Amino acid sequence: MSGDCGVTSPSTLQAQVRRVGFYLLVTGILLLVYWLLRRELRHYDLADVISHVAAIPFSTLFLAVLLTAASYLCLTAYDWLALRYVGKSIRYPRVAMTSFIAYALNHNLSVAALTGTAIRYRFYSPRGLTNAQLAMVVAFCGLSTSLGLATLAGVSLLVAPPRILGLLGARESVSIALGVALLALPAAYLAWAAFGSEPLRIRRFTMRRPALPLAAAQILVAVADLTLAATVLWVLLPHGAHISLIAFTSLFAVAVVAGIVSNVPGGLGVFESVLIFGLRELPADALLGSLLVYRAIYYLLPLGLAAVLFVSHEVHGQRARIGSVSSRASFYLAPIAPQVGAVLAFMSGVVLLVSGATPAIDARLHTLRGLLPAPLLELSHLIGSMAGLALLVLAHGLLRRVSTAYHVTVWLLLAGIVASVTKGLDFEEASFLAVVLAILWFGRAAFYRASSLANEQFSRGWVFSVLGVVAVSILIAWLNHQEQFASTSWWSFSHVGDTSRVLRTTVLVAAASLVLFVAYLLRPARNLLLATCGPDLARIERAASAANDTLFNAVRTGDKHVLYHEQADAFIMYQVRGRSWIALGDPVGAAGPCRDLTRQFRALVDRAGGWTVFYQVAAEQLPLYVDLGLTLVKLGEEARVPLASFSLDGSARADLRQSHRRAMRDGATFEIVPREAVSPLLATLRRISDTWLAHKAVAEKAFSVGAFSEQYIQQFPLALVRVEGHPVAFANLWSTANRHELSIDLMRFGADAPKGAMDFLFTELMLWGRANGYGYFNLGMAPLAGLEPHALAPPWHRMGSFVFRHGEHFYNFEGLKRYKEKFLPAWSPRYIALPGRLILPRVLLDVSRLISGGLKGLVSK
């Protein structure tokens, strides 16, 4: 371009003319090829070509695939030799992948290009190759192909000239001369490699002399590759092709050269035209069928594999960015994945069963008839329906977050996608299953339960839902095929035997459903109360080794059932009253097993037709119960005194200090009695306990508090208050193994205890706990404390707040909280988790009956 606008230089004009001329030439070649092929094939129908494709034996197809793999293996040697030539060493797996992708793309997109410059740049440049070295690798690979073609074509012209002469219309002497000329090219190359000293210069391209062994290997590898490529097509030739491999290789080489010279992408049409004209003794439709299969095996199959390899490589390279997107999707999907995944998996099962019961679309079946054998069609139909039945069952496991259910569902969805396509080209059905699969994959973090599917307990509703779907699919099959069922043979296997396929599949699905239902009815009855009044103390100690809450010690009272995790040290203590299955506190153990155990407990209760209740649970575990579909209701607030800052100093604890000094003036002393030394004190402790019960006019409590018994009291250390050496008050100690928390359960004092004896006991016990490294002292829960009275609060909060403020005649709620507040505790909420708010009064009544047979039991601790 000159300095004047709009003026084109002669060189630019010539380049534009050459470009236009090139496009016109390619277009002309394509039009010529189209005219020639149409003239040769005008007497044949597409169905004839497809029938010849279907007639090729499987063993022949398998051999062609193996020869294709060998050919592409030779192609990887091109790059390996080229890298040796430029002095670079890269691991062979990397070289093989790069070469395979490059040649698979070039064979399909542009044979004339011979090499994949962009692909090699993408894979080799991170390994330190410069642009000049990459250009040399590309040139070396292109030269290898050219030398191989020259060698193969030259030998072919000398060995099998008659067929080539007939194709070219030339005399034998011309063929021999041309063959010798072609063989002179690799001979000259080898001579230059052996004796030359100057580099090879072609225009602006300069190539240094390779070592003779490298040059010889270059030619041998290229000849082997092209011979294998020719052999792939030779074995696919139709029956009756009486042509030797050597003669065919010569024709194949001419066809490849013609495709390269034409500049048509992949030599498409040009390559086929040369072979059709060179093999006129074969029917054109049969030969075209072989060529189509050759294109599929040697071109399209490697292209698909190359695409998968390339995408996998790029995804791996961008894994950090993709992982961020995946994590974000999982963050939003994981919380709802069990519920949504269960519904979608159930719907997928319905879709597959209904699809298996309805006729396939005739046009699609006709297409499949020419592509798939009848046995594969039959198998796909059966797999789709059986996968549908399995998905109906597995949806229950997804709802329960079972890891095995998730993995099996993923594989069944994949099988369903493949079966949907291969049984009737049901792309709509396959797309729906693919969407379900994607949702489950992004929400896979939610399926963490390492439970066996055989241990999952199915409700009656779920079982009859599955049977109902199966029954509907059978009815649909009957309505669609009722006229043909009577006259259809069970063993009629064909592409058009849609009714017999539906009949066989329907009977098998019905039989499988019947087997599952009978297995459900005959399953061994499980003992719902898995462990009764006999806790495994060693296992409980292991499960509670990291517990931060002392409430787990209530399991030692012996009045509760214990549900243990099947494989880990974790447990739930519970009792049954009416329809309420009431678990005391949170599950005890590691987080993962505890999650599994809560779901197992919920399944156990559902099977028994009861209500799942978790009583007195902490705020930290609320998501666990929400995931179970339970409703959370606040019971009150728990007082915990931080022992690190506890002391009797300061005006805030003046009352405690005075009460403590008064008890000491009255002769009170404090001591901790180890549990091994409790036995000699049992008679005295029994007398103090009986006196306290008579004075309070109350009976022993249960469930959330302990009752005095010699067996129970000997399991814990005692906090003991003496006056003049005689025990007057005691409390048994609950503690955690990690010393996070300390609390008491039974708290009794006799008639001769000094005034303020319990304040003295609490104060001394907290000072002892601080000195022994405990973190908190748990004073227990203040019932109904912290419930909001405002108009927007839930009805339970408003009612509870009213009772808290005005229920003095029934129980001194406010007085209890004031008493605990003088120890300056930190307050934390405690909840009850239950199936719904409407049953709260009934559940609270069941809890009160467990504790003491009346409503006062709720506030006894």
Side-chain angles (χ1 to χ4, degrees), residues 149-191:
L149 276 172
T151 304
L152 191 63
V155 172
S156 300
L157 288 169
L158 293 175
V159 175
R163 185 175 295 272
I164 302 301
L165 292 175
L167 180 62
L168 300 177
R171 293 192 301 270
E172 183 176 351
S173 59
V174 175
S175 174
I176 294 174
L178 184 59
V180 172
L182 288 173
L183 288 176
L185 294 176
Y189 182 73
L190 291 175

Side-chain angles (χ1 to χ4, degrees), residues 638-702:
E638 188 176 69
R640 299 171 76 229
V641 180
L643 295 180
S645 59
F646 178 79
S647 72
L648 295 178
D649 299 332
S651 59
R653 291 194 172 102
D655 292 342
L656 276 181
R657 191 165 55 248
Q658 293 176 7
S659 178
H660 184 263
R661 289 173 180 174
R662 186 185 306 116
M664 293 184 68
R665 286 196 301 270
D666 292 339
T669 61
F670 174 84
E671 64 179 290
I672 297 294
V673 180
R675 62 182 181 181
E676 296 82 5
V678 172
S679 180
L681 299 172
L682 287 176
T684 303
L685 300 178
R686 167 66 75 178
R687 185 175 63 255
I688 294 173
S689 177
D690 291 344
T691 301
W692 184 85
L693 290 172
H695 177 72
K696 296 292 183 179
V698 295
E700 291 282 12
K701 304 298 188 292

Side-chain angles (χ1 to χ4, degrees), residues 206-223:
T206 301
M207 180 178 179
R208 62 178 175 82
R209 181 177 63 87
L212 180 60
L214 188 65
Q218 191 178 0
I219 296 174
L220 289 175
V221 166
V223 171

Side-chain angles (χ1 to χ4, degrees), residues 486-760:
S487 59
T488 299
S489 170
W490 276 65
W491 312 114
S492 174
F493 296 93
S494 67
H495 287 90
V496 295
D498 200 45
T499 302
S500 60
R501 260 194 307 275
V502 171
L503 177 61
R504 284 190 295 272
T505 302
T506 300
V507 171
L508 287 173
V509 168
S513 303
L514 181 62
V515 169
L516 291 174
F517 183 61
V518 171
Y520 170 77
L521 293 177
L522 299 180
R523 70 196 186 283
R526 296 181 64 184
N527 183 11
L528 297 182
L529 305 181
L530 297 183
T532 304
C533 299
D536 183 343
L537 297 182
R539 194 171 184 181
I540 287 170
E541 290 291 343
R542 291 195 300 270
S545 60
N548 292 327
D549 191 332
T550 56
L551 187 58
F552 77 88
N553 288 281
V555 74
R556 295 176 179 268
T557 60
D559 62 353
K560 287 173 280 294
H561 307 291
V562 183
L563 178 65
Y564 295 102
H565 192 277
E566 298 170 349
Q567 300 170 342
D569 292 322
F571 69 90
I572 289 176
M573 48 185 167
Y574 69 98
Q575 188 53 277
V576 181
R577 181 67 65 187
R579 288 189 63 186
S580 301
W581 290 54
I582 305 162
L584 179 60
D586 298 305
V588 181
C594 283
R595 284 196 299 266
D596 294 344
L597 202 55
T598 55
R599 300 186 188 288
Q600 184 181 346
F601 182 67
R602 179 68 189 270
L604 185 70
V605 177
D606 287 348
R607 187 183 172 200
W611 296 331
T612 303
V613 179
F614 285 86
Y615 174 69
Q616 206 170 319
V617 297
E620 294 79 9
Q621 300 295 332
L622 296 191
L624 185 64
Y625 306 111
V626 172
D627 285 347
L628 290 178
L630 301 179
T631 300
L632 279 302
V633 177
K634 188 175 181 179
L635 287 175
E637 293 183 336
E638 188 176 69
R640 299 171 76 229
V641 180
L643 295 180
S645 59
F646 178 79
S647 72
L648 295 178
D649 299 332
S651 59
R653 291 194 172 102
D655 292 342
L656 276 181
R657 191 165 55 248
Q658 293 176 7
S659 178
H660 184 263
R661 289 173 180 174
R662 186 185 306 116
M664 293 184 68
R665 286 196 301 270
D666 292 339
T669 61
F670 174 84
E671 64 179 290
I672 297 294
V673 180
R675 62 182 181 181
E676 296 82 5
V678 172
S679 180
L681 299 172
L682 287 176
T684 303
L685 300 178
R686 167 66 75 178
R687 185 175 63 255
I688 294 173
S689 177
D690 291 344
T691 301
W692 184 85
L693 290 172
H695 177 72
K696 296 292 183 179
V698 295
E700 291 282 12
K701 304 298 188 292
F703 191 59
S704 63
V705 291
F708 186 92
S709 72
E710 293 183 358
Q711 180 183 5
Y712 173 66
I713 205 72
Q714 291 183 83
Q715 297 185 59
F716 305 99
L718 285 182
L720 190 65
V721 177
R722 297 177 184 265
V723 174
E724 296 180 354
H726 300 291
V728 297
F730 72 90
N732 66 322
L733 300 187
W734 283 359
S735 62
T736 60
N738 58 7
R739 303 204 173 200
H740 182 79
E741 188 176 274
L742 180 69
S743 67
I744 64 170
D745 180 31
L746 288 179
M747 180 180 63
R748 307 286 164 90
F749 56 89
D752 51 351
K755 184 178 181 180
M758 299 318 295
D759 284 357
F760 176 76

Side-chain angles (χ1 to χ4, degrees), residues 68-312:
T68 299
S71 175
Y72 275 86
L73 184 63
C74 286
L75 286 172
T76 63
Y78 286 12
D79 282 61
W80 189 82
L81 293 172
L83 290 169
R84 294 298 179 276
Y85 175 72
V86 299
K88 284 291 184 179
S89 178
I90 298 177
R91 294 178 62 220
Y92 178 73
R94 180 82 176 184
V95 175
M97 181 177 68
T98 305
S99 176
F100 176 75
I101 295 174
Y103 279 111
L105 292 175
N106 284 328
H107 284 165
N108 287 273
L109 302 179
S110 178
V111 174
L114 296 178
T115 50
T117 305
I119 294 297
R120 289 185 173 89
Y121 178 82
R122 179 72 181 87
F123 283 81
Y124 288 155
S125 57
R127 295 299 186 271
L129 265 72
T130 64
N131 290 342
Q133 289 173 327
L134 283 169
M136 189 58 66
V137 168
V138 170
F140 188 91
C141 292
L143 181 61
S144 299
T145 303
S146 301
L147 291 170
L149 276 172
T151 304
L152 191 63
V155 172
S156 300
L157 288 169
L158 293 175
V159 175
R163 185 175 295 272
I164 302 301
L165 292 175
L167 180 62
L168 300 177
R171 293 192 301 270
E172 183 176 351
S173 59
V174 175
S175 174
I176 294 174
L178 184 59
V180 172
L182 288 173
L183 288 176
L185 294 176
Y189 182 73
L190 291 175
W192 173 62
F195 307 109
S197 58
E198 296 295 326
L200 178 65
R201 290 184 176 86
I202 303 175
R203 294 185 180 180
R204 290 179 297 176
F205 175 76
T206 301
M207 180 178 179
R208 62 178 175 82
R209 181 177 63 87
L212 180 60
L214 188 65
Q218 191 178 0
I219 296 174
L220 289 175
V221 166
V223 171
D225 160 51
L226 292 166
T227 302
L228 287 168
T231 309
V232 173
L233 182 53
W234 183 69
V235 300
L236 292 171
L237 290 178
H239 182 71
H242 303 294
I243 180 173
S244 66
L245 177 59
I246 295 177
F248 179 77
T249 303
S250 65
L251 182 61
F252 181 86
V254 173
V256 171
V257 172
I260 294 174
V261 173
S262 70
N263 280 302
V264 175
L268 189 63
V270 178
F271 178 79
E272 286 78 5
S273 298
V274 172
L275 289 170
I276 289 175
F277 280 96
L279 297 169
R280 285 182 173 274
E281 70 274 14
L282 295 178
D285 58 338
L287 181 56
L288 185 58
S290 298
L291 288 168
L292 289 176
V293 175
Y294 173 74
R295 285 281 183 182
I297 292 177
Y298 195 82
Y299 286 77
L300 298 182
L301 179 60
L303 178 64
L305 293 176
V308 172
L309 282 174
F310 184 75
V311 171
S312 301

Side-chain angles (χ1 to χ4, degrees), residues 414-427:
L414 288 172
I417 291 170
V418 175
S420 298
V421 176
T422 54
K423 73 183 176 67
L425 298 179
D426 294 327
F427 295 109

